[in-house]
Amino acid sequence: MIDLSCKYLGLQLRNPVIVGSSGLSSSIENLKTISVMGAGAVVLKSIFEEQIKFEADKFLKSDKKEMKSWQEAFQGIVSKAEFYYEEAYDYLTNYAKEHTLSHYLSLISEAKKTIDIPVIASINCTTQYDWEYFAKRIQEAGADALELNIYLLPSDFEKSGIELEKVYFDIVLEVKKYITIPISLKIGYYFSSLSNTALKLSGTGIAGLTLFNRPYNPDIDTDNLQINASNMFSNDSEYSHTLRWVALLAGKLHCDIAASTGIHNQETVIKQLLAGADAVHMVSVFYKHHFDILPQIISGIETWMIQHNFSCISDFKGLLSGKNVDNPASYERVQFLRLFSSVE
Ligand SMILES: Cc1cc2nc3c(=O)[nH]c(=O)nc-3n(C[C@H](O)[C@H](O)[C@H](O)COP(=O)(O)O)c2cc1C
């Protein structure tokens, strides 16, 4: 009898395969399919801090003429009172917040009524925003956990690494004040000492770290001399960067680890678990093949476990982590020195 169940963020999962955050997890129809097809849990599409600010700032930056059109557009909302700029701005900020949030809260509560796998909400954050307002209501709506999706590109010439890293800690500590559900933190890999920062972040009381988000990357179109988007979706060989870091960090942090990026099939799920991941997040593969491949991935893990005489996930989780292998340096090697001397 094969048992795929596991614990992630303190939640009981029927298996470690999580559908990660994306547009695919933003409708109740898809959430039902994700659950029926056998996923262990789902992370909802992030609610974006910038999206809310953008709506409100559109008003702040508008000139008199545009202000008039806003006034007209919000007639009945801003209503009879005189249209005082600041009051109206506050009003619109709250309106934009409430509008964005209420849609999201309905998705959470509907999902909790409809599906029986853990529902992890997600906020994309860049600053210490109004987290009391957001996090509390997400918890009240019934989310089982909250993933904070923070990805700061270190592109500001004026900001030191220390300043940038502080933002991660500030956000986590602020959000933690307001909720009791488990918090996970989804990060990129731009840290000068990733292991040290991950260890310190894991000590803030978060329940998990998701390694790594895959950023949008610009490309250049040489025919039209324009900037365009590069591949939006990962391919099935992109998992190795995550694999290295999962292996190096597993068993050393004070929280769970979820592997994300380039995990497209049962083989790469198994590799991440062997490296020490507690769960995996998968996204691009579902854009390419929809959720129909989920049962195949799950039964593929079972088949492999039978072949290797493993009856539960803990029989092999972390078996090949840096902590458990004879030669952990193999995960730290970055140069191909030996290969250079043997490959013509
Ligand atoms: C179209 C699309 C939308 C995404 N939206 C979000 C999002 O709202 N929040 C988030 O944390 N990650 C988002 N992601 C990132 C994914 O959750 C995931 O971390 C990334 O795609 C790497 O995993 P993959 O290789 O399985 O795709 C998105 C990815 C894609 C392709």
Side-chain angles (χ1 to χ4, degrees):
M1 188 65 182
I2 296 294
D3 179 10
L4 289 182
S5 69
C6 62
K7 280 228 158 168
Y8 172 63
L9 310 179
L11 307 167
Q12 191 62 41
L13 268 52
R14 60 184 167 185
N15 66 62
V17 178
I18 297 174
V19 174
S21 177
S22 81
L24 289 177
S25 55
S26 61
S27 77
I28 202 72
E29 291 71 30
N30 276 3
L31 296 179
K32 280 186 207 162
T33 312
I34 288 166
S35 174
V36 169
M37 289 294 173
V42 61
V43 187
L44 302 182
K45 175 158 182 57
S46 304
I47 188 167
F48 278 74
E49 176 190 336
E50 278 165 336
Q51 178 188 335
I52 295 158
K53 283 185 173 168
F54 174 77
E55 291 296 331
D57 286 351
K58 255 200 318 208
F59 174 76
L60 188 65
K61 289 189 186 124
S62 56
D63 61 21
K64 283 253 159 59
K65 201 166 136 229
E66 281 170 327
M67 271 171 66
K68 185 130 197 318
S69 68
W70 273 88
Q71 188 179 5
E72 278 157 14
F74 283 87
Q75 230 176 22
I77 301 173
V78 178
S79 90
K80 292 145 211 148
E82 271 201 76
F83 192 70
Y84 289 119
Y85 183 83
E86 287 203 355
E87 271 176 30
Y89 178 68
D90 281 351
Y91 187 89
L92 289 172
T93 308
N94 288 331
Y95 178 81
K97 257 178 11 187
E98 194 54 47
H99 181 74
T100 314
L101 190 59
S102 66
H103 184 73
Y104 201 66
L105 298 177
S106 315
L107 182 68
I108 297 172
S109 50
E110 191 63 19
K112 283 306 295 172
K113 274 188 247 152
T114 320
I115 62 176
D116 57 1
I117 55 172
V119 174
I120 302 168
S122 167
I123 310 181
N124 169 278
C125 4
T126 49
T127 59
Q128 267 180 286
Y129 195 48
D130 199 353
W131 299 127
E132 180 171 3
Y133 182 85
F134 282 92
K136 265 188 181 169
R137 292 185 61 193
I138 283 173
Q139 172 168 292
E140 281 158 17
D144 294 292
L146 175 63
E147 183 169 85
L148 302 173
N149 159 21
I150 313 181
Y151 204 115
L152 304 178
L153 195 78
S155 57
D156 186 338
F157 289 93
E158 305 297 321
K159 282 216 170 104
S160 70
I162 293 172
E163 277 175 89
L164 275 180
E165 278 174 19
K166 187 173 176 300
V167 177
Y168 292 81
F169 289 88
D170 289 347
I171 293 174
V172 168
L173 295 175
E174 185 66 14
V175 174
K176 262 196 74 56
K177 281 190 212 159
Y178 305 114
I179 56 174
T180 51
I181 53 173
I183 296 172
S184 66
L185 180 60
K186 183 179 190 183
I187 57 173
Y189 38 78
Y190 290 115
F191 294 93
S192 48
S193 177
L194 182 54
S195 297
N196 179 273
T197 308
L199 179 63
K200 285 199 235 154
L201 283 169
S202 77
T204 56
I206 56 171
L209 260 185
T210 303
L211 310 172
F212 298 100
N213 203 341
R214 182 177 183 272
Y216 158 88
N217 283 315
D219 200 356
I220 288 181
D221 172 349
T222 52
D223 291 329
N224 298 307
L225 304 184
Q226 277 176 351
I227 300 164
N228 60 12
S230 66
N231 296 330
M232 192 196 287
F233 304 118
S234 65
N235 64 52
D236 63 5
S237 63
E238 281 182 53
Y239 66 87
S240 46
H241 183 72
T242 299
L243 187 75
R244 177 204 294 271
W245 284 102
V246 168
L248 286 173
L249 298 177
K252 309 261 174 106
L253 304 184
H254 310 292
C255 69
D256 291 344
I257 298 176
S260 162
T261 294
I263 304 165
H264 284 228
N265 48 46
Q266 62 267 24
E267 195 188 2
T268 39
V269 173
I270 294 164
K271 287 184 186 186
Q272 299 288 359
L273 296 173
L274 282 167
D278 296 281
V280 300
H281 290 198
M282 300 171 77
V283 170
S284 290
V285 68
F286 301 124
Y287 274 99
K288 293 182 180 174
H289 305 291
H290 204 53
F291 301 116
D292 303 345
I293 59 151
L294 255 169
Q296 185 188 316
I297 292 170
I298 291 157
S299 68
I301 302 169
E302 281 173 345
T303 307
W304 176 86
M305 285 171 68
I306 293 167
Q307 284 163 356
H308 291 267
N309 287 326
F310 296 132
S311 55
C312 60
I313 298 289
S314 59
D315 285 350
F316 66 96
K317 190 176 78 177
L319 202 65
L320 297 180
S321 69
K323 204 176 160 191
N324 289 334
V325 291
D326 292 337
N327 183 15
S330 30
Y331 286 118
E332 301 205 29
R333 184 177 303 288
V334 284
Q335 306 288 359
F336 290 99
L337 252 187
R338 257 190 233 152
L339 280 179
F340 284 147
S341 53
S342 60
V343 175
E344 292 294 311

